[in-house]
Amino acid sequence: MSEYDQIQKSSLKLKGAGELSAGKKKKKKSKESKHRLEQVVTSQNDDEEVKTKKTYIDKRTPAQIAFDKMQEKRQMERILKKASKTHKHRVEDFNRHLDNLTEHYDIPKVSWTK
């Protein structure tokens, strides 16, 4: 007996390919049953949210809490510092900074005559 004796020799049959596979048809669910399922799911989610809100406990250490407070404080300081200057003032400060730099950073002029 050969290894290939048990191979299927007919053509390949695909599911849902036209008239050939007119077997089972899908049943359509009614809108009412979908609506009921949605209500059940939303009511369960609401119950879970209420339970999770009541049982939330802050598990951070005092050092972590202090660290978070300092982070927020520094972030607020940065925001206030940036908000205190207008765009015009920032551009003027930047131009002053560029004027104070040495000429070493300037791009040398190139001419055709040299």
Side-chain angles (χ1 to χ4, degrees):
M1 250 181 135
S2 174
E3 295 176 13
Y4 298 107
D5 287 342
Q6 297 178 357
I7 293 176
Q8 182 180 5
K9 296 179 182 177
S10 64
S11 63
L12 183 65
K13 295 179 183 178
L14 301 174
K15 291 183 178 179
E19 299 283 331
L20 297 176
S21 64
K24 295 182 181 178
K25 292 185 179 180
K26 294 182 179 178
K27 294 182 181 179
K28 294 184 179 179
K29 294 183 178 180
S30 66
K31 292 181 181 179
E32 293 177 12
S33 63
K34 288 182 183 178
H35 186 66
R36 286 185 208 137
L37 288 174
E38 289 175 5
Q39 287 179 348
V40 169
V41 170
T42 55
S43 65
Q44 289 176 352
N45 288 342
D46 292 340
D47 293 340
E48 290 173 4
E49 288 177 9
V50 169
K51 290 177 184 176
T52 57
K53 287 181 183 177
K54 291 180 180 177
T55 60
Y56 177 73
I57 299 173
D58 193 10
K59 296 181 179 180
R60 298 181 296 169
T61 62
Q64 289 173 329
I65 294 171
F67 176 77
D68 290 339
K69 285 182 183 177
M70 288 303 294
Q71 287 279 341
E72 290 176 14
K73 182 181 175 184
R74 288 186 184 128
Q75 185 177 8
M76 288 302 297
E77 288 175 359
R78 272 188 240 118
I79 290 171
L80 292 175
K81 183 180 176 183
K82 286 187 178 186
S84 64
K85 288 187 178 180
T86 62
H87 178 71
K88 184 177 180 180
H89 290 285
R90 274 190 238 117
V91 170
E92 289 173 357
D93 290 343
F94 183 67
N95 286 335
R96 263 189 249 115
H97 172 70
L98 291 178
D99 289 340
N100 292 337
L101 291 177
T102 61
E103 301 297 324
H104 173 72
Y105 295 106
D106 286 344
I107 299 172
K109 292 182 180 179
V110 178
S111 65
W112 292 96
T113 58
K114 291 185 180 179

